[in-house]
Amino acid sequence: MSIRVLLADDHALMRQGLCALLNTTGDIEVVGEVGTGREAKRLVLALKPAVVLMDIAMPDLNGIEAARTVHLNSPATRIVMLSMHMSAEYVYRAFEAGACGYLLKEMAVDEVITAVRTVHAGKQYLSPALAKTVPDPWASRARSPVDSLSIREREVLQLVVEGRTSSEIAHMIHLSPKSVDTYRSRLMAKLGVSDLPTLVKFALEHGLTLPR
């Protein structure tokens, strides 16, 4: 039986390349492609893939927060994060969110098939290029400022810094505009941030959104 894989990446060329590569194998089948974390959450429930290749930097909902929800709602689905970032913080947060693999995008062509087969077999995968930077990705780590935010607060933060209005955010995540404003005020207070430019800088530094 083929390993059913869902691709989640906001770059269509990246998805096309990965799809073409994975479909050359005899044991891996790409069953779907999406461009945002929010779409990934929906399709995982619909398609029940064995493995999701999840980009970290996606609009609307980043890959780490999407992975967290996927892991909670579909624990049998194995998640491999795709990232350009070699920072230990990204790796730790990815594994804490439920990922079982972390693959550098620059190495994806060489490693993606191995990564998919490895996590499908119930093991964990970390790009060898990260061995020195992150010697033990499953060890405890120092807390990040991101950890002080709830899942909902991180979701609102990303949408705010991407320029969404309170009404737009409310429609997207099924809250009232007033509740969105409350979440925004609360998360800014937790982070000690008083203006939008500083909030945007924080979100970019911690991989919560894409640079514009």
Side-chain angles (χ1 to χ4, degrees):
M1 183 180 295
S2 297
I3 303 172
R4 292 164 50 82
V5 174
L6 173 68
L7 303 178
D9 194 295
D10 65 317
H11 291 98
L13 287 177
M14 184 71 178
R15 296 198 307 270
Q16 291 169 10
L18 290 173
C19 183
L21 177 65
L22 293 172
N23 283 336
T24 63
T25 69
D27 60 332
I28 299 174
E29 175 191 6
V30 175
V31 295
E33 301 178 29
V34 294
T36 73
R38 205 170 299 280
E39 292 174 320
K41 292 194 307 179
R42 177 181 59 82
L43 267 194
V44 164
L45 293 178
L47 299 177
K48 301 294 183 183
V51 177
V52 178
L53 290 173
M54 183 92 74
D55 184 19
I56 285 184
M58 290 188 289
D60 292 348
L61 186 69
N62 66 75
I64 290 178
E65 297 308 317
R68 195 182 309 278
T69 302
V70 167
H71 181 64
L72 288 173
N73 295 328
S74 183
T77 299
R78 310 284 283 175
I79 304 166
V80 177
M81 305 306 301
L82 295 171
S83 178
M84 297 180 296
H85 301 287
M86 298 184 67
S87 166
E89 179 183 352
Y90 285 83
V91 180
Y92 289 136
R93 285 178 51 221
F95 280 103
E96 287 177 350
C100 51
Y102 193 101
L103 182 64
L104 293 175
K105 278 195 170 184
E106 64 186 58
M107 306 301 295
V109 172
D110 297 324
E111 298 179 17
V112 67
I113 295 173
T114 299
V116 168
R117 289 172 175 162
T118 298
V119 301
H120 183 254
K123 302 175 183 178
Q124 293 168 317
Y125 184 88
L126 182 69
S127 281
L130 289 167
K132 292 183 179 179
T133 308
V134 193
D136 187 356
W138 301 279
S140 60
R141 65 176 175 92
R143 286 181 60 81
S144 161
V146 176
D147 297 332
S148 68
L149 304 178
S150 68
I151 294 174
R152 183 66 88 183
E153 287 167 347
R154 290 194 292 268
E155 188 173 20
V156 170
L157 185 158
Q158 177 170 356
L159 294 171
V160 166
V161 301
E162 288 178 357
R164 305 279 187 174
T165 66
S166 293
S167 295
E168 289 173 332
I169 296 171
H171 178 73
M172 291 177 70
I173 62 177
H174 310 294
L175 290 175
S176 69
K178 184 177 180 180
S179 294
V180 171
D181 290 338
T182 298
Y183 276 113
R184 181 171 56 193
S185 297
R186 186 184 302 162
L187 71 88
M188 291 180 75
K190 284 184 178 181
L191 298 174
V193 172
S194 59
D195 57 78
L196 184 58
T198 305
L199 191 64
V200 171
K201 181 180 179 182
F202 174 88
L204 289 172
E205 288 176 345
H206 293 275
L208 298 174
T209 190
L210 294 162
R212 290 184 288 178

